[in-house]
Amino acid sequence: MNHTLKQEISGRWVTRFFLQIMIYTAVIILLFLWGYFICANRIWMGTEPFYPLIHMLHDNWLAAVCLFLLFGSLLIAWLNFRKIARLMSEVAEAVSGIYQDREDTVQLPRELREMENQLNLIRIEAKADRQQAHEANQRKDDMLMYMAHDLKTPLTSVIGYLTLLNDEPDIPETTRQRYLGVALKKAQRLEELINGFFEITRFNFSHMVLEKSRVNMTMMVNQMLYEFQPVFDEKRLHFTFQAEKDVFVYCDVEKMERVFDNLLKNVANYSYSDTEIRVFLSERQKSGRPAEEGQSDPSVGNSVEESGSPADSGGGMRLVMENHGRTIPREKLEHLFDQFFRLDSSRDSSTGGSGLGLAVVKEIVQLHGGTVSCESENEIIRFTVEIP
């Protein structure tokens, strides 16, 4: 419940209480004046049964009025607090129902209509959160089951080929090299799957803390692309890099390397062979794509950090990665950055992963106060990362 609504409800009850006190006070005073007028216009005999009471009230009228007002105020306060306690009990029961996943809507007395609306909104949000958590856990369980199954396949191959090499020392050298190559490839795949398990552990049990410094993002992205050249060559991919000169960002270098690494792995895995990957980098506050820079020189230096403070860290960056691949359906785009979401439901061994790569990208970018998004149409996939 927001602060304004709480103030409105409490203010309404306080106003109602004082209004009741004022009405009761006015009624008591009118009754005393009416009684005084009646009693003053008749002759009372000392033998009448009510004479002593009337006489006492006449002599102590101020004390009597105060006593009646005090008693009435206490009675009104008790009735109000009793009603508030009953309403709070109903609110507590309604709140309990929200987190017990009840399907029926919250219904409160009309005095708490605004609170009823607020609780129903919370109920809808809580239900959506539970559904998302359930789906995330289901994806996680499925992914762990798939990965546990997939671990066995390369391990069996590695053991099988190494056993052949051990049992048949006289096999031809070409066959030996082929067996070693297959065993190495399967061992590398096994390493990728094991790293996936570690990725899950880090994502669930560690809290990312940023250690920021001023970074030349133009040099950093260029380095990452150069390091991915062997991966691109394997699928006969080539890239172009268009960037403004010296785009500086105040960020965590290690975390941003992880962002680019995960994005480039995704781009490489889901690109058609013999296609082009296009990368654009510009300062965030500037519109449009940067001027043509041509493919960057692979011999760029290793140092991407420079001294500086947040005050002179530049205007942030806008990075766009485009690749040619199968168009991603709109319903899958909505979940692309969810934990354990796999775009390739067939679990192709060449693209299989933990389903955490893009989820980690989103978390790191958001920790930097930025945004990451994906668009896909006409077999073009476009990732956009903006860091302030």
PDB file of all heavy atoms in Angstrom, residues 158-190:
ATOM      1  N   VAL A 158      34.889 -39.746 -25.185  1.00  0.00           N
ATOM      2  CA  VAL A 158      36.286 -39.560 -24.777  1.00  0.00           C
ATOM      3  C   VAL A 158      36.866 -40.880 -24.270  1.00  0.00           C
ATOM      4  O   VAL A 158      37.960 -41.312 -24.664  1.00  0.00           O
ATOM      5  CB  VAL A 158      36.396 -38.462 -23.706  1.00  0.00           C
ATOM      6  CG1 VAL A 158      37.805 -38.436 -23.108  1.00  0.00           C
ATOM      7  CG2 VAL A 158      36.079 -37.102 -24.303  1.00  0.00           C
ATOM      8  N   ILE A 159      36.119 -41.536 -23.366  1.00  0.00           N
ATOM      9  CA  ILE A 159      36.597 -42.810 -22.804  1.00  0.00           C
ATOM     10  C   ILE A 159      36.746 -43.864 -23.905  1.00  0.00           C
ATOM     11  O   ILE A 159      37.717 -44.626 -23.950  1.00  0.00           O
ATOM     12  CB  ILE A 159      35.628 -43.300 -21.712  1.00  0.00           C
ATOM     13  CG1 ILE A 159      35.670 -42.338 -20.507  1.00  0.00           C
ATOM     14  CG2 ILE A 159      35.984 -44.712 -21.270  1.00  0.00           C
ATOM     15  CD1 ILE A 159      34.641 -42.647 -19.440  1.00  0.00           C
ATOM     16  N   GLY A 160      35.760 -43.881 -24.829  1.00  0.00           N
ATOM     17  CA  GLY A 160      35.797 -44.878 -25.888  1.00  0.00           C
ATOM     18  C   GLY A 160      37.017 -44.727 -26.799  1.00  0.00           C
ATOM     19  O   GLY A 160      37.734 -45.713 -27.075  1.00  0.00           O
ATOM     20  N   TYR A 161      37.266 -43.507 -27.281  1.00  0.00           N
ATOM     21  CA  TYR A 161      38.396 -43.295 -28.190  1.00  0.00           C
ATOM     22  C   TYR A 161      39.736 -43.462 -27.481  1.00  0.00           C
ATOM     23  O   TYR A 161      40.690 -44.004 -28.062  1.00  0.00           O
ATOM     24  CB  TYR A 161      38.302 -41.916 -28.834  1.00  0.00           C
ATOM     25  CG  TYR A 161      37.299 -41.857 -29.960  1.00  0.00           C
ATOM     26  CD1 TYR A 161      36.052 -41.262 -29.786  1.00  0.00           C
ATOM     27  CD2 TYR A 161      37.595 -42.412 -31.201  1.00  0.00           C
ATOM     28  CE1 TYR A 161      35.126 -41.221 -30.816  1.00  0.00           C
ATOM     29  CE2 TYR A 161      36.682 -42.377 -32.245  1.00  0.00           C
ATOM     30  CZ  TYR A 161      35.443 -41.783 -32.050  1.00  0.00           C
ATOM     31  OH  TYR A 161      34.535 -41.745 -33.071  1.00  0.00           O
ATOM     32  N   LEU A 162      39.847 -43.021 -26.227  1.00  0.00           N
ATOM     33  CA  LEU A 162      41.093 -43.217 -25.488  1.00  0.00           C
ATOM     34  C   LEU A 162      41.333 -44.691 -25.207  1.00  0.00           C
ATOM     35  O   LEU A 162      42.485 -45.166 -25.200  1.00  0.00           O
ATOM     36  CB  LEU A 162      41.063 -42.419 -24.179  1.00  0.00           C
ATOM     37  CG  LEU A 162      41.107 -40.894 -24.323  1.00  0.00           C
ATOM     38  CD1 LEU A 162      41.043 -40.227 -22.955  1.00  0.00           C
ATOM     39  CD2 LEU A 162      42.368 -40.449 -25.060  1.00  0.00           C
ATOM     40  N   THR A 163      40.247 -45.443 -24.978  1.00  0.00           N
ATOM     41  CA  THR A 163      40.391 -46.885 -24.781  1.00  0.00           C
ATOM     42  C   THR A 163      40.909 -47.559 -26.037  1.00  0.00           C
ATOM     43  O   THR A 163      41.782 -48.450 -25.988  1.00  0.00           O
ATOM     44  CB  THR A 163      39.031 -47.493 -24.370  1.00  0.00           C
ATOM     45  OG1 THR A 163      38.579 -46.878 -23.161  1.00  0.00           O
ATOM     46  CG2 THR A 163      39.160 -48.995 -24.146  1.00  0.00           C
ATOM     47  N   LEU A 164      40.393 -47.141 -27.212  1.00  0.00           N
ATOM     48  CA  LEU A 164      40.874 -47.693 -28.480  1.00  0.00           C
ATOM     49  C   LEU A 164      42.364 -47.416 -28.672  1.00  0.00           C
ATOM     50  O   LEU A 164      43.138 -48.282 -29.101  1.00  0.00           O
ATOM     51  CB  LEU A 164      40.081 -47.102 -29.643  1.00  0.00           C
ATOM     52  CG  LEU A 164      38.643 -47.608 -29.818  1.00  0.00           C
ATOM     53  CD1 LEU A 164      37.926 -46.797 -30.905  1.00  0.00           C
ATOM     54  CD2 LEU A 164      38.642 -49.095 -30.189  1.00  0.00           C
ATOM     55  N   LEU A 165      42.752 -46.167 -28.360  1.00  0.00           N
ATOM     56  CA  LEU A 165      44.164 -45.808 -28.503  1.00  0.00           C
ATOM     57  C   LEU A 165      45.046 -46.604 -27.543  1.00  0.00           C
ATOM     58  O   LEU A 165      46.176 -46.977 -27.876  1.00  0.00           O
ATOM     59  CB  LEU A 165      44.355 -44.306 -28.255  1.00  0.00           C
ATOM     60  CG  LEU A 165      43.769 -43.367 -29.316  1.00  0.00           C
ATOM     61  CD1 LEU A 165      43.817 -41.922 -28.825  1.00  0.00           C
ATOM     62  CD2 LEU A 165      44.540 -43.500 -30.628  1.00  0.00           C
ATOM     63  N   ASN A 166      44.531 -46.873 -26.360  1.00  0.00           N
ATOM     64  CA  ASN A 166      45.299 -47.622 -25.368  1.00  0.00           C
ATOM     65  C   ASN A 166      45.378 -49.106 -25.715  1.00  0.00           C
ATOM     66  O   ASN A 166      46.426 -49.743 -25.525  1.00  0.00           O
ATOM     67  CB  ASN A 166      44.656 -47.437 -23.996  1.00  0.00           C
ATOM     68  CG  ASN A 166      45.452 -48.113 -22.893  1.00  0.00           C
ATOM     69  OD1 ASN A 166      46.579 -47.715 -22.593  1.00  0.00           O
ATOM     70  ND2 ASN A 166      44.869 -49.151 -22.287  1.00  0.00           N
ATOM     71  N   ASP A 167      44.284 -49.666 -26.239  1.00  0.00           N
ATOM     72  CA  ASP A 167      44.241 -51.106 -26.518  1.00  0.00           C
ATOM     73  C   ASP A 167      44.884 -51.468 -27.850  1.00  0.00           C
ATOM     74  O   ASP A 167      45.250 -52.631 -28.065  1.00  0.00           O
ATOM     75  CB  ASP A 167      42.783 -51.595 -26.513  1.00  0.00           C
ATOM     76  CG  ASP A 167      42.158 -51.500 -25.123  1.00  0.00           C
ATOM     77  OD1 ASP A 167      42.925 -51.340 -24.147  1.00  0.00           O
ATOM     78  OD2 ASP A 167      40.906 -51.562 -25.027  1.00  0.00           O
ATOM     79  N   GLU A 168      44.994 -50.505 -28.766  1.00  0.00           N
ATOM     80  CA  GLU A 168      45.541 -50.795 -30.087  1.00  0.00           C
ATOM     81  C   GLU A 168      46.718 -49.851 -30.373  1.00  0.00           C
ATOM     82  O   GLU A 168      46.579 -48.854 -31.094  1.00  0.00           O
ATOM     83  CB  GLU A 168      44.465 -50.644 -31.155  1.00  0.00           C
ATOM     84  CG  GLU A 168      43.279 -51.579 -30.949  1.00  0.00           C
ATOM     85  CD  GLU A 168      42.236 -51.416 -32.035  1.00  0.00           C
ATOM     86  OE1 GLU A 168      42.599 -50.950 -33.147  1.00  0.00           O
ATOM     87  OE2 GLU A 168      41.067 -51.726 -31.774  1.00  0.00           O
ATOM     88  N   PRO A 169      47.851 -50.113 -29.785  1.00  0.00           N
ATOM     89  CA  PRO A 169      49.013 -49.213 -29.981  1.00  0.00           C
ATOM     90  C   PRO A 169      49.558 -49.209 -31.402  1.00  0.00           C
ATOM     91  O   PRO A 169      50.301 -48.284 -31.765  1.00  0.00           O
ATOM     92  CB  PRO A 169      50.049 -49.784 -28.998  1.00  0.00           C
ATOM     93  CG  PRO A 169      49.657 -51.218 -28.817  1.00  0.00           C
ATOM     94  CD  PRO A 169      48.174 -51.271 -28.938  1.00  0.00           C
ATOM     95  N   ASP A 170      49.192 -50.187 -32.222  1.00  0.00           N
ATOM     96  CA  ASP A 170      49.767 -50.285 -33.561  1.00  0.00           C
ATOM     97  C   ASP A 170      48.852 -49.739 -34.654  1.00  0.00           C
ATOM     98  O   ASP A 170      49.075 -49.999 -35.848  1.00  0.00           O
ATOM     99  CB  ASP A 170      50.089 -51.760 -33.882  1.00  0.00           C
ATOM    100  CG  ASP A 170      51.121 -52.328 -32.936  1.00  0.00           C
ATOM    101  OD1 ASP A 170      51.993 -51.555 -32.478  1.00  0.00           O
ATOM    102  OD2 ASP A 170      51.052 -53.541 -32.647  1.00  0.00           O
ATOM    103  N   ILE A 171      47.812 -48.979 -34.296  1.00  0.00           N
ATOM    104  CA  ILE A 171      46.921 -48.437 -35.324  1.00  0.00           C
ATOM    105  C   ILE A 171      47.648 -47.374 -36.132  1.00  0.00           C
ATOM    106  O   ILE A 171      48.598 -46.738 -35.646  1.00  0.00           O
ATOM    107  CB  ILE A 171      45.646 -47.844 -34.690  1.00  0.00           C
ATOM    108  CG1 ILE A 171      46.003 -46.710 -33.728  1.00  0.00           C
ATOM    109  CG2 ILE A 171      44.810 -48.883 -33.998  1.00  0.00           C
ATOM    110  CD1 ILE A 171      44.782 -45.995 -33.165  1.00  0.00           C
ATOM    111  N   PRO A 172      47.256 -47.150 -37.395  1.00  0.00           N
ATOM    112  CA  PRO A 172      47.942 -46.163 -38.241  1.00  0.00           C
ATOM    113  C   PRO A 172      47.924 -44.758 -37.627  1.00  0.00           C
ATOM    114  O   PRO A 172      46.998 -44.403 -36.879  1.00  0.00           O
ATOM    115  CB  PRO A 172      47.127 -46.204 -39.541  1.00  0.00           C
ATOM    116  CG  PRO A 172      46.463 -47.534 -39.538  1.00  0.00           C
ATOM    117  CD  PRO A 172      46.195 -47.872 -38.106  1.00  0.00           C
ATOM    118  N   GLU A 173      48.921 -43.984 -37.957  1.00  0.00           N
ATOM    119  CA  GLU A 173      49.064 -42.643 -37.385  1.00  0.00           C
ATOM    120  C   GLU A 173      47.890 -41.737 -37.756  1.00  0.00           C
ATOM    121  O   GLU A 173      47.427 -40.936 -36.931  1.00  0.00           O
ATOM    122  CB  GLU A 173      50.380 -42.008 -37.859  1.00  0.00           C
ATOM    123  CG  GLU A 173      50.680 -40.645 -37.234  1.00  0.00           C
ATOM    124  CD  GLU A 173      50.836 -40.720 -35.722  1.00  0.00           C
ATOM    125  OE1 GLU A 173      51.217 -41.802 -35.205  1.00  0.00           O
ATOM    126  OE2 GLU A 173      50.583 -39.699 -35.044  1.00  0.00           O
ATOM    127  N   THR A 174      47.397 -41.865 -39.005  1.00  0.00           N
ATOM    128  CA  THR A 174      46.254 -41.030 -39.409  1.00  0.00           C
ATOM    129  C   THR A 174      45.017 -41.352 -38.589  1.00  0.00           C
ATOM    130  O   THR A 174      44.281 -40.455 -38.178  1.00  0.00           O
ATOM    131  CB  THR A 174      45.962 -41.254 -40.906  1.00  0.00           C
ATOM    132  OG1 THR A 174      45.748 -42.660 -41.149  1.00  0.00           O
ATOM    133  CG2 THR A 174      47.101 -40.746 -41.764  1.00  0.00           C
ATOM    134  N   THR A 175      44.811 -42.637 -38.329  1.00  0.00           N
ATOM    135  CA  THR A 175      43.666 -43.042 -37.495  1.00  0.00           C
ATOM    136  C   THR A 175      43.857 -42.562 -36.074  1.00  0.00           C
ATOM    137  O   THR A 175      42.911 -42.101 -35.421  1.00  0.00           O
ATOM    138  CB  THR A 175      43.506 -44.570 -37.523  1.00  0.00           C
ATOM    139  OG1 THR A 175      43.380 -45.022 -38.875  1.00  0.00           O
ATOM    140  CG2 THR A 175      42.281 -45.000 -36.733  1.00  0.00           C
ATOM    141  N   ARG A 176      45.093 -42.659 -35.569  1.00  0.00           N
ATOM    142  CA  ARG A 176      45.385 -42.190 -34.211  1.00  0.00           C
ATOM    143  C   ARG A 176      45.072 -40.698 -34.078  1.00  0.00           C
ATOM    144  O   ARG A 176      44.450 -40.276 -33.097  1.00  0.00           O
ATOM    145  CB  ARG A 176      46.862 -42.466 -33.883  1.00  0.00           C
ATOM    146  CG  ARG A 176      47.278 -41.981 -32.487  1.00  0.00           C
ATOM    147  CD  ARG A 176      48.788 -42.174 -32.306  1.00  0.00           C
ATOM    148  NE  ARG A 176      49.127 -43.590 -32.350  1.00  0.00           N
ATOM    149  CZ  ARG A 176      49.065 -44.389 -31.285  1.00  0.00           C
ATOM    150  NH1 ARG A 176      48.688 -43.910 -30.112  1.00  0.00           N
ATOM    151  NH2 ARG A 176      49.390 -45.659 -31.409  1.00  0.00           N
ATOM    152  N   GLN A 177      45.513 -39.913 -35.072  1.00  0.00           N
ATOM    153  CA  GLN A 177      45.269 -38.481 -35.023  1.00  0.00           C
ATOM    154  C   GLN A 177      43.777 -38.165 -35.100  1.00  0.00           C
ATOM    155  O   GLN A 177      43.287 -37.242 -34.445  1.00  0.00           O
ATOM    156  CB  GLN A 177      46.009 -37.784 -36.167  1.00  0.00           C
ATOM    157  CG  GLN A 177      47.528 -37.814 -36.033  1.00  0.00           C
ATOM    158  CD  GLN A 177      48.004 -37.140 -34.753  1.00  0.00           C
ATOM    159  OE1 GLN A 177      47.448 -36.120 -34.312  1.00  0.00           O
ATOM    160  NE2 GLN A 177      49.037 -37.711 -34.126  1.00  0.00           N
ATOM    161  N   ARG A 178      43.069 -38.940 -35.898  1.00  0.00           N
ATOM    162  CA  ARG A 178      41.614 -38.723 -36.006  1.00  0.00           C
ATOM    163  C   ARG A 178      40.929 -39.028 -34.675  1.00  0.00           C
ATOM    164  O   ARG A 178      40.066 -38.274 -34.221  1.00  0.00           O
ATOM    165  CB  ARG A 178      41.042 -39.592 -37.119  1.00  0.00           C
ATOM    166  CG  ARG A 178      39.542 -39.395 -37.339  1.00  0.00           C
ATOM    167  CD  ARG A 178      39.123 -39.944 -38.706  1.00  0.00           C
ATOM    168  NE  ARG A 178      39.477 -41.357 -38.821  1.00  0.00           N
ATOM    169  CZ  ARG A 178      38.675 -42.358 -38.396  1.00  0.00           C
ATOM    170  NH1 ARG A 178      37.515 -42.067 -37.825  1.00  0.00           N
ATOM    171  NH2 ARG A 178      39.032 -43.611 -38.537  1.00  0.00           N
ATOM    172  N   TYR A 179      41.340 -40.136 -34.042  1.00  0.00           N
ATOM    173  CA  TYR A 179      40.766 -40.491 -32.741  1.00  0.00           C
ATOM    174  C   TYR A 179      41.077 -39.416 -31.698  1.00  0.00           C
ATOM    175  O   TYR A 179      40.222 -39.030 -30.896  1.00  0.00           O
ATOM    176  CB  TYR A 179      41.312 -41.833 -32.266  1.00  0.00           C
ATOM    177  CG  TYR A 179      40.737 -43.034 -32.983  1.00  0.00           C
ATOM    178  CD1 TYR A 179      41.185 -44.327 -32.685  1.00  0.00           C
ATOM    179  CD2 TYR A 179      39.765 -42.893 -33.970  1.00  0.00           C
ATOM    180  CE1 TYR A 179      40.675 -45.437 -33.348  1.00  0.00           C
ATOM    181  CE2 TYR A 179      39.252 -43.995 -34.635  1.00  0.00           C
ATOM    182  CZ  TYR A 179      39.710 -45.263 -34.325  1.00  0.00           C
ATOM    183  OH  TYR A 179      39.197 -46.353 -34.958  1.00  0.00           O
ATOM    184  N   LEU A 180      42.326 -38.933 -31.709  1.00  0.00           N
ATOM    185  CA  LEU A 180      42.710 -37.883 -30.752  1.00  0.00           C
ATOM    186  C   LEU A 180      41.914 -36.603 -30.999  1.00  0.00           C
ATOM    187  O   LEU A 180      41.508 -35.916 -30.051  1.00  0.00           O
ATOM    188  CB  LEU A 180      44.212 -37.600 -30.861  1.00  0.00           C
ATOM    189  CG  LEU A 180      45.149 -38.649 -30.254  1.00  0.00           C
ATOM    190  CD1 LEU A 180      46.600 -38.323 -30.593  1.00  0.00           C
ATOM    191  CD2 LEU A 180      44.953 -38.714 -28.734  1.00  0.00           C
ATOM    192  N   GLY A 181      41.700 -36.279 -32.274  1.00  0.00           N
ATOM    193  CA  GLY A 181      40.927 -35.075 -32.597  1.00  0.00           C
ATOM    194  C   GLY A 181      39.498 -35.163 -32.107  1.00  0.00           C
ATOM    195  O   GLY A 181      38.957 -34.201 -31.543  1.00  0.00           O
ATOM    196  N   VAL A 182      38.887 -36.334 -32.313  1.00  0.00           N
ATOM    197  CA  VAL A 182      37.505 -36.515 -31.838  1.00  0.00           C
ATOM    198  C   VAL A 182      37.456 -36.457 -30.317  1.00  0.00           C
ATOM    199  O   VAL A 182      36.574 -35.818 -29.726  1.00  0.00           O
ATOM    200  CB  VAL A 182      36.930 -37.847 -32.353  1.00  0.00           C
ATOM    201  CG1 VAL A 182      35.564 -38.102 -31.733  1.00  0.00           C
ATOM    202  CG2 VAL A 182      36.832 -37.846 -33.869  1.00  0.00           C
ATOM    203  N   ALA A 183      38.417 -37.115 -29.657  1.00  0.00           N
ATOM    204  CA  ALA A 183      38.443 -37.112 -28.191  1.00  0.00           C
ATOM    205  C   ALA A 183      38.625 -35.698 -27.648  1.00  0.00           C
ATOM    206  O   ALA A 183      37.992 -35.306 -26.658  1.00  0.00           O
ATOM    207  CB  ALA A 183      39.557 -38.023 -27.683  1.00  0.00           C
ATOM    208  N   LEU A 184      39.519 -34.921 -28.308  1.00  0.00           N
ATOM    209  CA  LEU A 184      39.747 -33.548 -27.870  1.00  0.00           C
ATOM    210  C   LEU A 184      38.474 -32.712 -28.026  1.00  0.00           C
ATOM    211  O   LEU A 184      38.116 -31.927 -27.136  1.00  0.00           O
ATOM    212  CB  LEU A 184      40.892 -32.935 -28.674  1.00  0.00           C
ATOM    213  CG  LEU A 184      41.193 -31.454 -28.386  1.00  0.00           C
ATOM    214  CD1 LEU A 184      41.603 -31.266 -26.933  1.00  0.00           C
ATOM    215  CD2 LEU A 184      42.284 -30.936 -29.320  1.00  0.00           C
ATOM    216  N   LYS A 185      37.798 -32.867 -29.165  1.00  0.00           N
ATOM    217  CA  LYS A 185      36.576 -32.098 -29.416  1.00  0.00           C
ATOM    218  C   LYS A 185      35.504 -32.430 -28.386  1.00  0.00           C
ATOM    219  O   LYS A 185      34.821 -31.548 -27.861  1.00  0.00           O
ATOM    220  CB  LYS A 185      36.075 -32.377 -30.829  1.00  0.00           C
ATOM    221  CG  LYS A 185      34.887 -31.532 -31.225  1.00  0.00           C
ATOM    222  CD  LYS A 185      34.504 -31.769 -32.679  1.00  0.00           C
ATOM    223  CE  LYS A 185      33.314 -30.890 -33.078  1.00  0.00           C
ATOM    224  NZ  LYS A 185      32.925 -31.104 -34.491  1.00  0.00           N
ATOM    225  N   LYS A 186      35.359 -33.728 -28.084  1.00  0.00           N
ATOM    226  CA  LYS A 186      34.367 -34.133 -27.087  1.00  0.00           C
ATOM    227  C   LYS A 186      34.754 -33.651 -25.689  1.00  0.00           C
ATOM    228  O   LYS A 186      33.900 -33.274 -24.883  1.00  0.00           O
ATOM    229  CB  LYS A 186      34.216 -35.652 -27.086  1.00  0.00           C
ATOM    230  CG  LYS A 186      33.672 -36.226 -28.389  1.00  0.00           C
ATOM    231  CD  LYS A 186      32.268 -35.713 -28.672  1.00  0.00           C
ATOM    232  CE  LYS A 186      31.709 -36.316 -29.951  1.00  0.00           C
ATOM    233  NZ  LYS A 186      30.334 -35.823 -30.243  1.00  0.00           N
ATOM    234  N   ALA A 187      36.055 -33.640 -25.393  1.00  0.00           N
ATOM    235  CA  ALA A 187      36.518 -33.140 -24.088  1.00  0.00           C
ATOM    236  C   ALA A 187      36.243 -31.642 -23.956  1.00  0.00           C
ATOM    237  O   ALA A 187      35.865 -31.156 -22.878  1.00  0.00           O
ATOM    238  CB  ALA A 187      38.006 -33.424 -23.910  1.00  0.00           C
ATOM    239  N   GLN A 188      36.430 -30.910 -25.056  1.00  0.00           N
ATOM    240  CA  GLN A 188      36.132 -29.476 -25.033  1.00  0.00           C
ATOM    241  C   GLN A 188      34.638 -29.235 -24.821  1.00  0.00           C
ATOM    242  O   GLN A 188      34.247 -28.312 -24.116  1.00  0.00           O
ATOM    243  CB  GLN A 188      36.617 -28.836 -26.334  1.00  0.00           C
ATOM    244  CG  GLN A 188      38.129 -28.765 -26.457  1.00  0.00           C
ATOM    245  CD  GLN A 188      38.593 -28.333 -27.829  1.00  0.00           C
ATOM    246  OE1 GLN A 188      37.840 -28.414 -28.821  1.00  0.00           O
ATOM    247  NE2 GLN A 188      39.844 -27.879 -27.925  1.00  0.00           N
ATOM    248  N   ARG A 189      33.819 -30.049 -25.459  1.00  0.00           N
ATOM    249  CA  ARG A 189      32.367 -29.933 -25.254  1.00  0.00           C
ATOM    250  C   ARG A 189      32.010 -30.247 -23.803  1.00  0.00           C
ATOM    251  O   ARG A 189      31.162 -29.579 -23.206  1.00  0.00           O
ATOM    252  CB  ARG A 189      31.650 -30.896 -26.203  1.00  0.00           C
ATOM    253  CG  ARG A 189      30.139 -30.964 -25.997  1.00  0.00           C
ATOM    254  CD  ARG A 189      29.499 -29.611 -26.161  1.00  0.00           C
ATOM    255  NE  ARG A 189      28.059 -29.659 -25.920  1.00  0.00           N
ATOM    256  CZ  ARG A 189      27.315 -28.618 -25.605  1.00  0.00           C
ATOM    257  NH1 ARG A 189      27.883 -27.418 -25.472  1.00  0.00           N
ATOM    258  NH2 ARG A 189      26.032 -28.740 -25.414  1.00  0.00           N
ATOM    259  N   LEU A 190      32.691 -31.236 -23.229  1.00  0.00           N
ATOM    260  CA  LEU A 190      32.467 -31.576 -21.828  1.00  0.00           C
ATOM    261  C   LEU A 190      32.842 -30.410 -20.923  1.00  0.00           C
ATOM    262  O   LEU A 190      32.147 -30.109 -19.944  1.00  0.00           O
ATOM    263  CB  LEU A 190      33.292 -32.817 -21.479  1.00  0.00           C
ATOM    264  CG  LEU A 190      33.066 -33.473 -20.115  1.00  0.00           C
ATOM    265  CD1 LEU A 190      31.636 -33.958 -19.988  1.00  0.00           C
ATOM    266  CD2 LEU A 190      34.041 -34.632 -19.919  1.00  0.00           C
TER     267      LEU A 190
END
